[in-house]
């Protein structure tokens, strides 16, 4: 009997149906191509009200009531615990100043700090390994991303995520994404709509395919 896999898919973009959302949906389809009955919980962070870590240190208090957990009661209180119990986690975010959105950064602070210890060996308190896919949509080309060290930012972030969640992190990136319905309405002289359209026609389907195949591989390696 095929087990019911539990998955959380987080959209950390302010757009409900933008590039990040499309990557996330393809990841879900890829996972469900292996586990059709997977229980997928979709989260849109911009609908939730919460803050980043409040530096209360209740999660670090010896023999404390909240040791290893985040005590803050707001819209992500349950979610910051749930992400450590699933069989797979997918997180999609646009790239702002070379990194993830502020909403996602705040969420990760809350989810990860409680499980990250100040012990000498820096071990994680996560109950089990959770495979995570980070899906990035990026307005700039691969060349510009390299010039401004975007992959370095992602490397550092994913190393910490992988440590806390006890599993290497997978990465999918869609570069040079199409941002507007009509570029003539906006002051964006460094971009030409016809160039963006041509890039999307040549690359975005492959980016979606990468999201799909990454999820398939994770699902196949789960058990």
């Amino acid at each position: 009997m095929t087990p019911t896999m539990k998955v959380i898919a987080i959209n950390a973009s302010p757009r409900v149906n933008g590039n990040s959302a499309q990557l996330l949906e393809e990841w879900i389809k890829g996972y469900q191509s292996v586990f059709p009955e997977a229980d997928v919980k979709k989260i849109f962070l911009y609908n939730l009200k919460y803050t980043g870590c409040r530096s209360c240190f209740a999660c670090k208090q010896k023999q404390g009531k909240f040791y290893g957990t985040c005590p803050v009661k707001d819209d992500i209180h349950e979610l910051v615990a749930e992400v450590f119990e699933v069989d797979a986690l997918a997180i999609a975010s646009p790239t702002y100043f070379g990194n993830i959105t502020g909403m996602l950064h705040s969420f990760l602070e809350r989810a990860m700090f409680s499980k990250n210890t100040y012990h000498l060996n820096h071990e994680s308190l996560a109950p089990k390994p959770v495979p995570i896919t980070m899906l990035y949509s990026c307005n700039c080309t691969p060349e510009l991303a390299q010039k401004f060290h975007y992959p370095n930012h992602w490397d550092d972030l994913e190393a910490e995520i992988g440590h806390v969640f006890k599993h290497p992190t997978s990465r999918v990136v869609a570069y040079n994404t199409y941002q507007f319905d009509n570029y003539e309405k906006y002051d964006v002289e460094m971009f030409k709509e016809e160039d963006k359209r041509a890039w999307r026609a040549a690359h975005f389907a492959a980016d979606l395919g990468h999201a799909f195949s990454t999820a398939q591989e994770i699902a196949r390696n789960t058990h």
Side-chain angles (χ1 to χ4, degrees), residues 52 69 90:
T69 64

Side-chain angles (χ1 to χ4, degrees), residues 106-125:
S106 292
F107 170 77
L108 290 175
E109 284 180 4
R110 290 274 302 282
M112 293 169 56
F113 186 62
S114 60
K115 295 291 187 288
N116 204 20
T117 67
Y118 284 166
H119 298 170
L120 292 178
N121 60 0
H122 192 51
E123 79 268 22
S124 168
L125 299 177

Side-chain angles (χ1 to χ4, degrees), residues 21-222:
Q22 291 177 63
L23 290 169
L24 193 63
E25 286 298 323
E26 285 302 309
W27 187 97
I28 293 170
K29 290 177 185 177
Y31 196 91
Q32 290 183 324
S33 71
V34 179
F35 292 110
E37 303 302 319
D39 178 7
V40 180
K41 183 175 184 177
K42 299 180 184 180
I43 303 294
F44 182 55
L45 287 185
Y46 276 77
N47 278 347
L48 307 178
K49 294 182 179 180
Y50 61 94
T51 69
C53 177
R54 298 187 183 183
S55 198
C56 67
F57 291 101
C59 64
K60 303 285 184 286
Q61 188 173 350
K62 294 179 180 179
Q63 300 170 343
K65 177 181 178 181
F66 299 106
Y67 183 77
T69 64
C70 181
V72 179
K73 297 292 183 67
D74 57 16
D75 286 357
I76 63 169
H77 176 73
E78 294 181 0
L79 183 61
V80 296
E82 288 176 355
V83 292
F84 291 98
E85 301 292 343
V86 295
D87 296 292
L89 175 64
I91 303 175
S93 175
T95 304
Y96 291 171
F97 298 102
N99 219 315
I100 55 178
T101 62
M103 293 289 283
L104 178 53
H105 202 289
S106 292
F107 170 77
L108 290 175
E109 284 180 4
R110 290 274 302 282
M112 293 169 56
F113 186 62
S114 60
K115 295 291 187 288
N116 204 20
T117 67
Y118 284 166
H119 298 170
L120 292 178
N121 60 0
H122 192 51
E123 79 268 22
S124 168
L125 299 177
K128 67 174 187 176
V130 176
I132 297 179
T133 305
M134 295 297 297
L135 305 115
Y136 305 98
S137 57
C138 184
N139 178 48
C140 66
T141 63
E143 293 76 17
L144 277 177
Q146 288 289 342
K147 178 180 178 179
F148 294 113
H149 310 294
Y150 287 12
N152 294 348
H153 300 166
W154 301 332
D155 288 344
D156 291 342
L157 173 68
E158 292 165 15
E160 192 62 30
I161 290 172
H163 168 72
V164 174
F165 282 87
K166 297 182 176 179
H167 195 286
T169 305
S170 302
R171 180 189 302 175
V172 176
V173 185
Y175 288 104
N176 204 17
T177 51
Y178 204 82
Q179 289 184 293
F180 311 112
D181 293 331
N182 182 357
Y183 274 70
E184 292 182 0
K185 293 170 58 178
Y186 303 94
D187 187 7
V188 287
E189 65 181 15
M190 68 182 292
F191 303 118
K192 293 182 179 180
E193 184 171 5
E194 57 268 30
D195 293 341
K196 285 282 192 176
R197 191 184 305 114
W199 181 280
R200 185 178 185 87
H203 296 279
F204 195 58
D207 298 332
L208 295 176
H210 187 196
F212 186 96
S213 62
T214 298
Q216 276 191 323
E217 182 178 0
I218 288 172
R220 288 169 179 160
N221 292 330
T222 299

